[in-house]
Structures are given as C-alpha cells and as structure tokens.
Amino acid sequence: MTTVNENYLKLPGSYLFSDIAHKVAAYGNAHPEKHIISLGIGDVTRPLIPAVIAALHRAVDEMGRAASFHGYGPEQGYAFLREAIAEHDYRVRGVAMDASEIFVSDGSKSDVGNFQELFAAHSVVAVTDPVYPVYVDSNAMAGRAGTYVDGSWERIIYLPCLRENAFVPEFPAVRPDIVYLCCPNNPTGTTLPRAALQAWVDYARREGCIILFDSAYEAYISDASIPHSIYELEGAREVAVEFRSFSKTAGFTGLRCAYTVVPRELKVSDGRGGQVFLNPLWNRRQCTKYNGCPYIVQRAAEAVYSEEGRQQVMDVIAGYRATAARLATAVRSIGLEVYGGVDAPYLWVRVPVGATSWSFFEHLLTEAALVCTPGAGFGIAGEGYVRLTAFGTPEDTQEAIERMVAM
Ligand code: PLP
C-alpha cells in the first residue's frame, strides 16, 4: 500500500475557527432571539469597486469574441499587470522595480505556502508568535518543523511579539535560514517601525538569511513613517521576498489575485560552495506547477491602479479604518488595552486581568452576543489577547460598540 507523507500526520487539527463556530452555534441555538455579531470576520464585506466591475465586464466580453479571446496566459502574469504593479506599487514610491521581478498569482496564501519549496529540507525557520498559521504549517508539511509538542514545533524558532517588546520580534539566539515577517501584522494589527525593519534586513545580510515579508495589509498603512515595502530599506533586495495581495486591498478575496516579488539580486547557497539566484528558480517552480491567474481577474487587478480605481479603493479602506478607530475607542472606554487597528484592519485587545483569551471570548459571547477570535489560537504568545476585526458592517459594528459599552 502507498504510504502517506508522515509530516501530514504530525499536524495538529486546525481547531480555532471550528471551535469558535461550534460555541457560537450552541449559543445561537440556546438563545434564538439574540442577534449575534461577529467581530472576528477575517474577510472583507464591502463589494468590489465600480472600476473593477467595469474592467471585469469588458474582459468577459473580450473572452466571448474569437479576436480577443485569451487562453493560457503567461505563468508569471500578463505584462500589463506586472508593469502596473512595478510602476504604482514601487517606482512611484521611489523603489526600483522591474516587471520581471513580479510574479502574479491567485493569492498570497498559496505563494506564502509554496515559497518554502525553494529551500533545503533542513533549513531552520523562524516565525513571529502569534503567527499567521500558513507559515508554520507549510513548513511542517515539508518536514522542517520537527515534532509538535505542547503547542509548538520543536524545530521552529518562535519570536514572541508582546506588548513588552512593542510587538517587534527580537533576534533569536540561534541563526535561522528563513524568517517570516508580516507587516502590518495579522493578528496583532501592529507594524514594524522603519528602524526595526532595517535592523532585520541588516541582520539577514549579516547572518545570510532570507526574509519572507508578507505585506497583505500594506494598503492600510496610514502612518507616513512606516515602510510600505521592505525594498524601501537599504540592502533588502539582497535578502527579501515580498508577498502582496489584492484581497484586503481591493476586496479580491473571492476573485483571487496577488503577487510575489523576487528581486534579481536575491540568491542563496547551492550547498556546494556556490550560489544560486531565486528569481529563475521561482519562475521554474511557477511554470511547472501553475498555469496563471485568469485573464479577466488580471484585468480587474489592473483597474485597481487606474485613477478612479485608486480613489475608490482608498475610500473603501478609509471606511474600514474608520470602523477600526471607532472600535478601538470603544474598547479603550471600557478599560481594556488595545494595540494595532491604526495601520491594519485588526485590533489586538488585552483581556482583563484573571481572564484567558478563551474565557474572555466566552464572556463576550454570553454577556453581549459578540464574537471575537481568541489570541491563543494564533500561538502561545497570543494568550492573553483577543483579535477584533474592522471588516464588519458599520451598522453591526455600531451595535457591537453599544453592547460593549453597556457591559
Ligand atoms: N497573508 C496574511 C497575513 C493574511 O492574513 C492573508 C489572508 O487572510 C493572506 C496572506 C492570504 O491572502 P490571499 O487572499 O491573497 O490568499
């Protein structure tokens, strides 16, 4: 009989969101009269902007005519989109970028999960704690994580991000090969100040590590001092890969489009005393295993960079930001500490003394019919916090705020 990849058997169940769903369903069944409001939604709720809808219609019509039909496209993405990304997300911000360094895809989750394939099986991985689980699980599936014991993997280096270190990860005692950084962060909603990010780039250059930089929430940055791209930092092109997504920027969670930047300079050891560039390797990987993001979706993504598209997207994000600000004010008014929520759609709320992240979840549910996400679900260092999101409708959020204040 064929044998399974044993690494899959080592994975702990992904219980967080199903546990939440069960508890919410049980409460809902016992209290059918209550309107339960979720402050835990990790998905956008506002519709696609008009510029994107118009581009989709145009592209669909093109697909219906023989003269403008598109079959398989380039695995790396169409030149029109790669150029628009290089120009608007980088060059207008003063960051050098060539379209050949940009690889368009169907989502950052797949890119972030797949990129580890380019590294040796024995590579040592460091992640921040709490963490977006894809970084850890994709390495565990590849056999890089060791064994899962008491909530953590023995071969993964965890870098705690706590209020005590202002949610800035410190350098580990042991040198990792790969470091995942997520900024603005999911789940904490916090950012890395420019100096802290430069220090990580310098560390990676000194120690010979690769930084996998996830900036899925880049569009939410409002503080002018926070870098939008890791390539704004000196030397980053030699050590960093950057992942960006249209999901939270332009509401593409259901449409699916993202991109990964692999600079020309970026190289790693070939294990035999030489060096090898990652850009052609990622190209090879994508050409072998991926057949490209749909034409109509790439035309929709291109429309995000049109003049009206940019304005419409900023208006939507401004709406989510305003919701985050209202939520933060309300949570502070009931005496709780809040982090994040300024440059990200996530708020990281410290639970009251004596509570755990799950007991506070239960409290909010039973006392106010509100749903949050317990921080412990994102890692050991997430205990003591819950995550709230600004993706709910303004009406629901307003009612949630009134209930919290009434508690
Ligand atoms: N990276 C982070 C930190 C995320 O929170 C998410 C989605 O929630 C993703 C990546 C995945 O984005 P995509 O929808 O492009 O797969």
Side-chain angles (χ1 to χ4, degrees):
M1 198 184 247
T2 310
T3 308
V4 72
N5 172 354
E6 60 170 359
N7 298 314
Y8 276 66
L9 304 182
K10 296 181 189 166
L11 293 166
S14 176
Y15 297 127
L16 177 63
F17 289 98
S18 60
D19 279 359
I20 292 172
H22 281 132
K23 286 180 195 284
V24 172
Y27 179 79
N29 289 338
H31 305 275
E33 76 291 355
K34 298 269 188 192
H35 168 46
I36 299 173
I37 297 177
S38 178
L39 295 171
I41 305 172
D43 194 355
V44 293
T45 51
R46 306 211 182 166
L48 291 165
I49 56 169
V52 162
I53 294 296
L56 282 169
H57 281 300
R58 281 193 302 272
V60 167
D61 288 342
E62 280 184 67
M63 294 295 270
R65 291 188 296 264
S68 51
F69 169 76
H70 285 78
Y72 289 127
E75 291 91 342
Q76 307 80 0
Y78 284 97
F80 63 78
L81 181 55
R82 299 172 88 193
E83 264 305 327
I85 292 167
E87 177 64 16
H88 295 286
D89 282 347
Y90 295 98
R91 294 197 290 255
V92 296
R93 290 181 178 276
V95 178
M97 187 60 66
D98 191 81
S100 65
E101 299 174 303
I102 289 161
F103 294 84
V104 175
S105 75
D106 64 353
S108 276
K109 189 181 199 175
S110 21
D111 285 355
V112 159
N114 291 331
F115 208 87
Q116 48 73 31
E117 280 181 29
L118 300 196
F119 305 114
H122 59 74
S123 302
V124 176
V125 171
V127 297
T128 51
D129 178 13
V131 67
Y132 176 58
V134 177
Y135 313 149
V136 175
D137 289 2
S138 56
N139 279 288
M141 289 169 176
R144 256 181 228 110
T147 309
Y148 189 74
V149 188
D150 295 337
S152 55
W153 293 91
E154 56 176 19
R155 280 201 77 232
I156 298 266
I157 298 175
Y158 292 90
L159 310 171
C161 290
L162 308 159
R163 61 180 184 154
E164 289 78 6
N165 59 14
F167 301 94
V168 174
E170 286 151 31
F171 302 138
V174 176
R175 172 200 163 275
D177 294 295
I178 304 159
V179 181
Y180 288 83
L181 296 178
C182 178
C183 175
N185 193 267
N186 178 10
T188 65
T190 55
T191 50
L192 295 172
R194 182 172 291 268
L197 196 51
Q198 183 67 62
W200 268 103
V201 169
D202 296 345
Y203 173 86
R205 291 174 82 191
R206 203 165 57 235
E207 300 290 337
C209 333
I210 293 288
I211 296 176
L212 299 182
F213 189 72
D214 185 345
S215 56
Y217 300 94
E218 167 275 334
Y220 290 79
I221 295 174
S222 57
D223 179 341
S225 74
I226 302 295
H228 284 249
S229 163
I230 195 164
Y231 305 119
E232 289 177 39
L233 287 311
E234 205 189 322
R237 289 178 58 87
E238 294 158 34
V239 290
V241 173
E242 181 160 286
F243 302 94
R244 291 241 191 134
S245 172
F246 292 89
S247 283
K248 308 294 163 71
T249 306
F252 273 47
T253 50
L255 207 50
R256 312 303 303 143
C257 194
Y259 64 89
T260 289
V261 182
V262 191
R264 289 250 163 250
E265 292 90 328
L266 193 61
K267 53 190 177 184
V268 292
S269 160
D270 68 2
R272 302 177 214 144
Q275 294 185 330
V276 55
F277 288 102
L278 285 181
N279 180 296
L281 283 192
W282 182 243
N283 188 49
R284 180 66 197 265
R285 190 269 170 210
Q286 290 298 81
C287 291
T288 303
K289 298 195 183 181
Y290 182 60
N291 248 343
C293 177
Y295 173 75
I296 58 173
V297 173
Q298 293 191 58
R299 281 292 183 201
E302 180 192 28
V304 170
Y305 297 106
S306 65
E307 214 177 305
E308 67 277 25
R310 285 206 303 271
Q311 189 52 51
Q312 290 164 3
V313 156
M314 286 327 291
D315 289 347
V316 172
I317 289 175
Y320 288 134
R321 270 214 209 102
T323 303
R326 288 212 320 276
L327 259 180
T329 306
V331 176
R332 283 198 183 99
S333 79
I334 59 170
L336 297 179
E337 280 172 42
V338 182
Y339 302 92
V342 177
D343 299 298
Y346 299 126
L347 280 74
W348 198 234
V349 178
R350 189 145 172 84
V351 302
V353 178
T356 64
S357 62
W358 273 109
S359 74
F360 189 62
F361 164 90
E362 300 272 0
H363 180 67
L364 271 187
L365 181 62
T366 52
E367 298 299 314
L370 297 177
V371 180
C372 63
T373 311
F378 297 100
I380 289 175
E383 181 52 272
Y385 296 87
V386 295
R387 189 189 73 172
L388 304 185
T389 80
F391 288 130
T393 63
E395 300 74 36
D396 271 358
T397 309
Q398 186 53 38
E399 191 177 333
I401 286 171
E402 285 162 21
R403 288 188 203 169
M404 264 193 265
V405 173
M407 275 168 82

